[in-house]
């Protein structure tokens, strides 16, 4: 009952293509891949998704009308990540097949409105399926999202803390220990309203804000990772205007901090994006165990609601 989505943000197009082909070796089920269109190299990766005819493409932080048109030519489906009704309506107008609606509770870039209000507002505004994200970690959340009119839920923070997840064990442990109040939400981490785990490193990053000298160093690492000529990357960034250049400088530093957290588990330098549902996580199950548990819990909630409503 789940759809896995490949994150392509840190991948060179060759790595993206190889990952897609590896997924196809592992399963004959539908799968997805995402493109965060604001990131350097995202358009190149998105074109790989189209060339490989990925069944479901998810895009965010940009206009994806060209993705919709190209994916529909081979029968693919496209899901837009949105945080407000205006963007939802625009994505629906140019043919997006479904919306991943991200509430305030979510990890990273949730919107200003909580899922309990945002999801039904967008369900009422569009005629395409809505997938709810932000605030969902168990069967109770699934049942609640369905009650709000969503067709399903997306979970990042909960899947992050599973046995198969590549997240460093230090942050898996922290995600179990932390409470629902143990996140920070600020524009001073990556330049956009962003939710991260409350740690000393996160507090320092938020307090410091944009560190331009560090951004120059970290952008070199990103260029090398994406195999982009650094001079070409710099020229392109500067030509896009100061507002966009500032945003990308923020993201260069944030990407470094996130990578340190996820790969090295360094709690003094690394920063991890998590949702408020980190406070609902109490164990580290396998993905299969988690899926079975969520479905079972949701069924139990439905039965309890049936009894309560008919009483």
């Amino acid at each position: 009952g789940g759809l896995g989505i490949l994150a392509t943000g840190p991948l060179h197009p060759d790595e993206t293509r190889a990952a897609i082909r590896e997924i196809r070796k592992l399963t004959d089920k539908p799968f997805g891949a995402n493109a965060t269109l604001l990131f350097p190299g995202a358009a190149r990766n998105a074109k790989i998704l189209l060339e490989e005819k990925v069944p479901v493409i998810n895009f965010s932080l940009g206009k994806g009308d060209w993705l919709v048109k190209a994916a529909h030519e081979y029968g693919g489906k496209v899901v837009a990540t949105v945080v407000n009704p205006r963007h939802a309506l625009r994505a629906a107008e140019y043919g997006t097949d479904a919306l991943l609606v991200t509430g305030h509770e979510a990890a990273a870039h949730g919107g200003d409105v909580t899922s309990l209000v945002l999801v039904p507002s967008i369900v009422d505004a569009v005629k395409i399926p809505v997938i709810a994200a932000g605030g969902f970690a168990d069967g109770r959340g699934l049942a609640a999202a369905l009650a709000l009119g969503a067709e399903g839920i997306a979970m990042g923070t909960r899947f992050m803390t599973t046995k198969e997840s590549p997240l460093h064990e230090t942050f898996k442990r922290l995600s179990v220990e932390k409470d629902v109040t143990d996140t920070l939400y600020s524009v001073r981490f990556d330049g956009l309203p962003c939710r991260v785990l409350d740690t000393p490193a996160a507090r320092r990053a938020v307090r410091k804000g944009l560190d331009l000298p560090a951004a120059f160093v970290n952008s070199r690492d990103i260029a090398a990772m994406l195999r982009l000529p650094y001079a070409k990357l710099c020229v392109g960034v500067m030509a896009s205007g100061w507002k966009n250049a500032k945003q990308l400088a923020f993201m260069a530093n944030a990407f470094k901090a996130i990578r340190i957290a996820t790969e090295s588990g360094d709690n003094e330098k690394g920063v991890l994006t998590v949702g408020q549902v980190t406070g609902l996580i109490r164990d580290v199950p396998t993905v299969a165990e988690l899926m079975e548990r969520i479905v079972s819990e949701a069924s139990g909630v439905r039965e309890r609601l049936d009894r309560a409503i008919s009483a």
Side-chain angles (χ1 to χ4, degrees):
L3 178 78
I5 298 179
L6 171 70
T8 68
L11 302 181
H12 178 271
D14 290 345
E15 295 172 320
T16 297
R17 194 186 301 277
I20 291 167
R21 293 181 178 181
E22 179 66 16
I23 291 169
R24 284 199 161 110
K25 290 179 182 177
L26 295 170
T27 182
D28 59 359
K29 302 292 185 182
F31 66 95
N34 72 2
T36 306
L37 298 178
L38 183 63
F39 289 179
R44 295 190 307 164
N45 264 332
K47 289 175 182 176
I48 298 299
L49 307 187
L50 295 170
E51 290 174 10
E52 292 293 319
K53 295 181 171 56
V54 171
V56 180
I57 295 177
N58 169 229
F59 73 89
S60 61
L61 297 180
K63 187 179 180 183
D65 53 342
W66 59 282
L67 274 170
V68 172
K69 181 180 178 181
H72 285 178
E73 289 177 359
Y74 66 79
K77 303 294 184 183
V78 180
V79 180
T81 295
V82 298
V83 297
N84 59 55
R86 181 169 63 87
H87 291 161
L89 286 167
R90 187 70 189 96
E93 285 172 3
Y94 57 70
T96 302
D97 298 287
L99 301 171
L100 201 159
V101 175
T102 309
H104 184 66
E105 306 94 324
H109 307 123
D112 294 329
V113 182
T114 62
S115 294
L116 187 64
V117 177
L118 183 64
V119 171
S121 74
I122 293 182
V123 167
D124 289 345
V126 301
K127 298 185 184 303
I128 57 177
V130 164
I131 303 159
F136 304 103
D138 55 28
R140 295 172 298 179
L142 173 57
L146 296 175
L148 295 174
E151 300 293 334
I153 57 175
M155 300 189 304
T157 300
R158 174 65 271 199
F159 279 124
M160 179 185 73
T161 310
T162 56
K163 293 189 185 303
E164 293 92 338
S165 167
L167 178 68
H168 195 280
E169 293 300 320
T170 295
F171 278 90
K172 288 185 184 181
R173 175 178 54 78
L174 283 173
S175 70
V176 171
E177 294 174 356
K178 293 289 187 176
D179 191 48
V180 294
T181 60
D182 291 325
T183 65
L184 303 175
Y185 186 74
S186 173
V187 298
R188 293 175 59 82
F189 174 59
D190 74 353
L192 296 172
C194 183
R195 189 176 302 282
V196 298
L197 191 67
D198 187 355
T199 62
R203 288 183 175 269
R204 285 195 300 272
V206 169
R207 185 168 59 249
K208 190 170 189 177
L210 180 58
D211 184 342
L212 277 175
F216 279 109
V217 174
N218 294 330
S219 62
R220 285 186 177 274
D221 293 340
I222 291 173
M225 183 178 62
L226 297 175
R227 302 179 210 170
L228 290 170
Y230 185 64
K232 182 178 180 180
L233 177 65
C234 283
V235 170
V237 168
M238 297 309 296
S240 68
W242 166 240
K243 182 179 180 180
N244 193 58
K246 180 181 177 182
Q247 178 59 64
L248 291 173
F250 258 117
M251 286 191 163
N253 293 341
F255 183 82
K256 177 70 174 291
I258 292 169
R259 190 172 186 179
I260 290 172
T262 56
E263 296 183 3
S264 304
D266 187 336
N267 192 26
E268 292 300 315
K269 297 179 181 179
V271 178
L272 186 67
T273 56
V274 300
Q276 290 178 320
V277 296
T278 190
L280 301 179
I281 296 173
R282 294 289 176 261
D283 62 355
V284 187
T286 66
V287 170
E289 289 169 346
L290 179 60
M291 293 289 284
E292 291 171 2
R293 180 195 306 173
I294 288 173
V295 172
S296 176
E297 288 174 348
S299 296
V301 170
R302 182 184 61 186
E303 293 170 3
R304 179 170 59 82
L305 290 176
D306 285 344
R307 291 194 299 270
I309 292 171
S310 61

